[in-house]
Amino acid sequence: MSVHQKVRRVTTHVLNEMKLQGIKIAMLTAYDYSMARILDQAEIDVILVGDSASNVMAGNESTLPITMDEMIYHAKSVVKGVSRALVVVDLPFGSYQGNSKEALTSAIRMMKETGGHAVKIEGGSEIIESVQRILSAGIPVMGHLGLTPQSIHKFGTYVVRAREEEEAKKLIEDAHKLQDAGCFAIVLEKIPASLAAKVANELTIPIIGIGAGHEVDGQVLVLHDMLGITQEFSPRFLRRYHNLSEEIKGSVKSYINDVKSLDFPNEKEQY
Ligand code: KIV
């Protein structure tokens, strides 16, 4: 039995062991109790309460509008459904970029009010002081480089990042800085597979990819995208495992028909 199958609870230490043993890490997002419970029962390694909740739960165009209070609501619900997976919570836009004291205050509040196990923040050299300060309070930090959706208005587009040598060089330097500062893992989003492989090889901490090829230590997808609940979003890296929106529509249509035709409820379904 491998390390992640033996454990009763996935910790940052277990993830490190998985990297050492070459066992890939599977991570998915969740934003509510019921979904988190299903993911945990299926033995997902890591659940990310992503600020993608802003898009898939709240219907916003970007991750920028979601607030601390809203992220806390989602994370609290997720934690209640989980007994095995490591729960990582995104610190939302505006809650850590100001200065390291603000970052620490936000991270402490997130941990205290949700029961999550770690926080994730986006960025490289510009957030190192915040990473160090959050870690000094004993809070594990996951980094996030490449396409960082909280900076979408700076990038101007969701195209693949770090194709050019200069940006690739900075990304590698940033990854080293995050590791040296004490991050337990880093998400690399939408960058060339060869660059992600280089980072995963050079670093000792787990590298989790999304649109970053398979030569990394694990993968993450947004749950609503991989289940086919969201339909408009179809980047090349997304594998859809289901067409849940069609299935849900089918069930809803059947229900409507049953109600209107007086088929539901029948005699056995009443008191
Ligand atoms: O918020 C999110 O879902 C994320 C993943 C895409 C990594 O940050």
Side-chain angles (χ1 to χ4, degrees), residues 24 135 143 167 200 208 210 239:
K24 299 289 183 189
L135 274 156
E167 196 182 338
I208 316 284
I210 173 164
R239 184 177 294 182

Side-chain angles (χ1 to χ4, degrees), residues 29 31 48 50-52 90 120 122 144 187 189 210 220 222:
T29 63
Y31 318 102
L48 172 66
D51 58 359
S52 48
D90 265 338
K120 176 164 83 58
E122 297 182 4
H144 185 155
V187 167
E189 181 165 352
I210 173 164
V220 57
V222 169

Side-chain angles (χ1 to χ4, degrees), residues 188-261:
L188 293 182
E189 181 165 352
K190 217 169 177 188
I191 63 167
S194 55
L195 175 61
K198 186 171 161 56
V199 174
N201 265 326
E202 284 186 15
L203 268 61
T204 55
I205 58 173
I207 302 301
I208 316 284
I210 173 164
H214 72 268
E215 284 184 68
V216 287
D217 307 303
Q219 299 293 329
V220 57
L221 283 177
V222 169
L223 185 67
H224 289 57
D225 297 337
M226 63 85 83
L227 289 180
I229 297 174
T230 50
Q231 287 176 310
E232 319 71 36
F233 185 65
S234 282
R236 189 199 300 191
F237 67 75
L238 173 62
R239 184 177 294 182
R240 283 197 207 285
Y241 287 83
H242 229 305
N243 193 355
L244 214 50
S245 68
E246 285 309 311
E247 293 207 18
I248 293 171
K249 270 186 232 165
S251 303
V252 172
K253 278 185 192 299
S254 302
Y255 169 73
I256 294 170
N257 279 338
D258 291 352
V259 169
K260 295 196 186 289
S261 65

Side-chain angles (χ1 to χ4, degrees), residues 4 9-10 26-50 52 77-88 219-227 229 241-242 244:
H4 82 303
R9 181 112 234 177
V10 179
M27 169 161 141
L28 281 172
T29 63
Y31 318 102
D32 67 334
Y33 166 80
S34 305
M35 284 291 190
R37 194 148 182 265
I38 296 170
L39 264 51
D40 197 53
Q41 286 169 353
E43 302 201 332
I44 194 79
D45 299 310
V46 184
I47 293 181
L48 172 66
V49 186
S52 48
S77 314
V78 164
V79 166
K80 286 185 209 148
V82 172
S83 59
R84 180 183 173 277
L86 182 84
V87 179
V88 181
Q219 299 293 329
V220 57
L221 283 177
V222 169
L223 185 67
H224 289 57
D225 297 337
M226 63 85 83
L227 289 180
I229 297 174
Y241 287 83
H242 229 305
L244 214 50

Side-chain angles (χ1 to χ4, degrees), residues 44-115:
I44 194 79
D45 299 310
V46 184
I47 293 181
L48 172 66
V49 186
D51 58 359
S52 48
S54 178
N55 308 93
V56 300
M57 300 300 286
N60 294 314
E61 267 184 24
S62 76
T63 58
L64 274 67
I66 201 161
T67 64
M68 267 301 273
D69 286 346
E70 287 165 343
M71 286 303 294
I72 286 171
Y73 167 79
H74 287 298
K76 242 168 139 166
S77 314
V78 164
V79 166
K80 286 185 209 148
V82 172
S83 59
R84 180 183 173 277
L86 182 84
V87 179
V88 181
V89 188
D90 265 338
L91 288 187
F93 177 67
S95 70
Y96 62 92
Q97 288 91 346
N99 56 54
S100 64
K101 185 168 180 290
E102 225 174 75
L104 177 62
T105 306
S106 301
I108 288 178
R109 184 167 170 226
M110 192 59 85
M111 298 295 281
K112 240 188 199 315
E113 295 186 30
T114 69

